[in-house]
Structures are given as C-alpha cells and as structure tokens.
Amino acid sequence: MDNLPDKGEGICIIRSHGASLEVLKEIKDRGFEIVDLTCPDVKKVQNKAIELADEGYFVIILGRPEHPEVMAISSNARAHARSGDDVFVAKNIEALKEIEEKIKKHPKIGVVVQTTQRIEYLNEVLDYLAPICKDLRVMNTICASTSLRQNEAKTLAEESDLMVVVGSKKSANTTHLAEILCNITRTIHIETDGELDSYKDIIEKAKNIGVTAGASTPDYIINKVIEKLSKGENK
C-alpha cells in the first residue's frame, strides 16, 4: 500500500529496507501498531550514522538517494546532526567532488555505506577522501552476504562466456551484481525466464553460461531460468 488511511487500527509492517522517521511518525499518528522487520544489517547502518552524527561528524552516506534504505539512514542521521547540511548522500564519486570544498573545511568526516553497495565504490571513495580530510572515520557497512555473493559471482564469471543475472531491475543488490560482472564477461540481466528469448543469439554462441541472482530473487524464478537454459528452449 502506497498510502495510509487517515485513521485506522491494526498492524503496519516495516519492510527490510527500513523507513524514515517521518514515515514511522505518520504511521503511529494514524493509529497503527508498527511491526519493524528492518534487516539487522540495515539497522546497523542507521545506528552507525547516528553515532557519527552525535559525535559531530559530517556524515556521508554512499548509496542511491532515492532508495528506501538510504532514505531511512539519512533521516536517522539528520535527526542527530547539528544541521541538515551535515548529512550528504553520494551516489557516485562525481557527487562528492561537487562538495569537495565543504569536505575540506569540515573538521570531521564520517562515512557509512548502503548495505548493497560495491566494495569497489567504497575503495574509490576512500582513495579520494583520504588526502583531503583532516579526520576521516569510515564504517564499512556493506552486508557480508552481499560481498560473499559478489565474490562468488566474480569467480563464476571468470570461467564463463556469459553470465545471466536474475532478479528485479529495481533491486540495488541485483543491479550492482550485473554492473560488476559486465566488467568481467558478457552479462545479461533478466527478471524472468521469458526474457531469455530476447537474448537467443547471444546464448546460442556461449559455451559456458553462469547463472547468479539477487538476494531477494525467489528460488522458483532462478530454477525456471536454469531449467530453460539447460533444455535449450530459448534456442
């Protein structure tokens, strides 16, 4: 549901990405009981961002500004920061370069990371920030399972002519997975087995095809993709 009734009763479930403080207040004000199913790893990022803000750091969140997880992290950090201007979301290194003078002037810079970001992005940011910061504190809050999945997929990609990434194109961890693998071997990103037909020529030419998936991709969807590739129904 995108919109809450003006008044109501019952339970409102917070999904794994978490929710901003503004959304939580709105839910309570309208009479709903909150069941918070925010992922513990996401909670960890929120708490680290709060910790940095409480200690007077300029908080940089590495992630996509429009992503629900990042919006929740930002909301929590801003509630504890000295001002709203002391929290910044950087979707890429270019965004940071736009506020370089502000970073240089601030005495303390703190960094947290959206759980599904690439370690390569974090390393790139560290290389950029280290020479220009007086005091730099970095919290590597990338989810361990995300890092493990990315590393396993990279190994598989090195042995494959083609990688098939299965999962929602709106999923951050799935799209990041596809971005990583396309730098290693030819990669296609699909949501269902039906999309394999659009890549018939590519698949026919591949001798070794690897399949991986995002964290939230249901097993039955992955299995249907593998089954179709195994049977050669797309050919």
Side-chain angles (χ1 to χ4, degrees), residues 167-215:
S168 171
K169 291 173 183 175
K170 295 181 180 179
S171 164
N173 77 81
T174 311
T175 53
H176 286 150
L177 196 56
E179 289 168 1
I180 291 168
L181 300 182
C182 71
N183 291 319
I184 301 173
T185 191
R186 190 158 199 173
T187 302
I188 60 175
H189 180 181
I190 61 172
E191 295 186 331
T192 67
D193 62 299
E195 293 179 56
L196 290 172
D197 296 329
S198 300
Y199 299 97
K200 179 181 177 181
D201 292 343
I202 297 173
I203 294 170
E204 284 182 341
K205 293 175 183 177
K207 295 180 180 179
N208 299 304
I209 301 176
V211 179
T212 188

Side-chain angles (χ1 to χ4, degrees), residues 19-232:
S20 68
L21 297 179
E22 295 78 11
V23 169
L24 294 176
K25 183 179 184 302
E26 183 179 2
I27 293 170
K28 288 180 180 178
D29 289 346
R30 297 192 182 191
F32 292 92
E33 176 187 352
I34 293 176
V35 174
D36 191 353
L37 297 184
T38 302
C39 170
D41 288 325
V42 174
K43 278 286 189 186
K44 177 182 176 182
V45 190
Q46 293 178 6
N47 291 335
K48 292 296 184 183
I50 290 171
E51 178 185 329
L52 290 169
D54 281 337
E55 294 179 14
Y57 281 81
F58 178 84
V59 181
I60 296 174
I61 303 166
L62 305 184
R64 298 182 177 181
E66 73 282 0
H67 194 282
E69 177 188 331
V70 175
M71 293 170 69
I73 296 166
S74 177
S75 173
N76 277 275
R78 290 179 194 282
H80 291 258
R82 294 174 182 176
S83 77
D85 290 337
D86 281 341
V87 178
F88 183 78
V89 178
K91 65 180 179 179
N92 52 38
I93 200 77
E94 286 71 26
L96 282 178
K97 289 179 179 178
E98 291 176 4
I99 61 163
E100 182 172 313
E101 290 307 311
K102 186 171 186 177
I103 292 171
K104 287 179 178 179
K105 290 177 182 178
H106 205 287
K108 299 196 294 184
I109 303 294
V111 177
V112 296
V113 195
Q114 181 183 357
T115 58
T116 54
Q117 281 294 318
R118 297 176 295 115
I119 189 65
E120 291 84 357
Y121 176 36
L122 174 58
N123 290 336
E124 181 185 15
V125 168
L126 296 187
D127 288 342
Y128 168 69
L129 289 178
I132 64 172
C133 294
K134 301 178 182 70
D135 178 356
L136 177 61
R137 187 174 174 189
V138 179
M139 308 289 193
N140 181 359
T141 48
I142 297 174
C143 173
S145 62
T146 295
S147 296
L148 178 61
R149 182 178 298 103
Q150 290 177 355
N151 289 334
E152 290 177 341
K154 283 191 225 178
T155 300
L156 181 60
E158 289 168 357
E159 303 168 353
S160 305
D161 302 307
L162 174 67
M163 284 295 295
V164 179
V165 180
V166 187
S168 171
K169 291 173 183 175
K170 295 181 180 179
S171 164
N173 77 81
T174 311
T175 53
H176 286 150
L177 196 56
E179 289 168 1
I180 291 168
L181 300 182
C182 71
N183 291 319
I184 301 173
T185 191
R186 190 158 199 173
T187 302
I188 60 175
H189 180 181
I190 61 172
E191 295 186 331
T192 67
D193 62 299
E195 293 179 56
L196 290 172
D197 296 329
S198 300
Y199 299 97
K200 179 181 177 181
D201 292 343
I202 297 173
I203 294 170
E204 284 182 341
K205 293 175 183 177
K207 295 180 180 179
N208 299 304
I209 301 176
V211 179
T212 188
S216 58
T217 308
D219 286 344
Y220 78 90
I221 292 180
I222 302 169
N223 291 336
K224 286 178 74 174
V225 169
I226 294 173
E227 182 181 0
K228 188 165 185 174
L229 286 170
S230 300
K231 290 182 177 179

